[in-house]
Amino acid sequence: MPLFPEQASTLAPRVDALLFFLLGVSTFFTLLIAGCIVVFAIRYRRRPGNEMAEQVEGSDRLEIAWSVIPLLLCLVMYAWGAQLYFAAATPPPEALEVYSVGKQWMWKFQHLSGPREINELHVPVGLPVKVLMTSQDVIHSLFVPAFRVKQDVLPGRYTQLWFQATRPGTYHLFCAEYCGTLHSGMIGQVVAMEPADFQRWLAGGTGATPAVAGEKLFTDLGCITCHRGDAQARCPELAGLFGRTVSLTTGRTLTADEGYIRESILDPGAKIVAGYQNIMPTYQGLVSEEGVLELIAYIKSLQTTEAKGPS
């Protein structure tokens, strides 16, 4: 692995530009301070006799200069870094979504069109890709050096990472958080493909989409018994839930995102929807992380279609 891997994403040149700027500023001031120490140590060294030091009067211009110049440099670093942070933390709305679950010691990836992968992720070149991630056990961290992206993956919550590959190729994928004795073996690769090749690869995949698998799980768990759209519903209807504002019994409101739906499945009593009772049992330990993601994919698919079954 070279010290500076090739730049293979839209974020990589921007991250490198800021890094080199910080390194340049740090190097300049390190050399300046070290040089001043050496020069002053020699020039003002102790000499024989009782030589008295010459008093130096203060200089307003000098004090303003060494105060204002560092301030301006720090403001430039802050503004530049904040701009880059928000760009890296905000995936484009049209990003291709992929689910990922980290566990000791592998990465599982699930494309919304069906294909599943372990320790390998195929993505198209020229299209933004958002990876929604969670951990099944301990803290991991997904790191793709060529894309200059890294994001911690935490148990019990969702984090996300996005990138847009700029050139076809195969790039290293690491876990950047020590996660156990075989941490060093938790590696993989990202395969960036031309869009046409990626579509052919997707077409060759097998397996149900997460939404279809989630619908089956939804039915098997009996969720449709209560989450229905008629007068006998005992729990909120789920069609159109994702992205909608939800009012709670506490008077608070929130936006139904992946984290809220996950919490509602595994800890239903944490946030009760206004107008309903806390009658839903927890599915903690009964549904795997992949299963929760499948249920979320199904609920998200109800945005434009009607809920199936009695709902």
Side-chain angles (χ1 to χ4, degrees), residues 7 17 29 44 139 152 212 235 281:
Q7 300 172 338
F29 280 101
Y44 299 108
I139 299 177
D152 287 351
V212 171
C235 294

Side-chain angles (χ1 to χ4, degrees), residues 89-124:
T90 309
E94 71 279 10
L96 182 70
E97 195 166 13
V98 177
Y99 293 157
S100 176
V101 176
K103 61 173 293 187
Q104 294 173 322
W105 288 272
M106 67 174 65
W107 295 102
K108 296 180 179 179
F109 297 101
Q110 167 78 71
H111 294 263
L112 297 191
S113 56
R116 297 171 182 263
E117 302 183 80
I118 293 180
N119 293 336
E120 191 171 71
L121 175 62
H122 288 74
V123 298

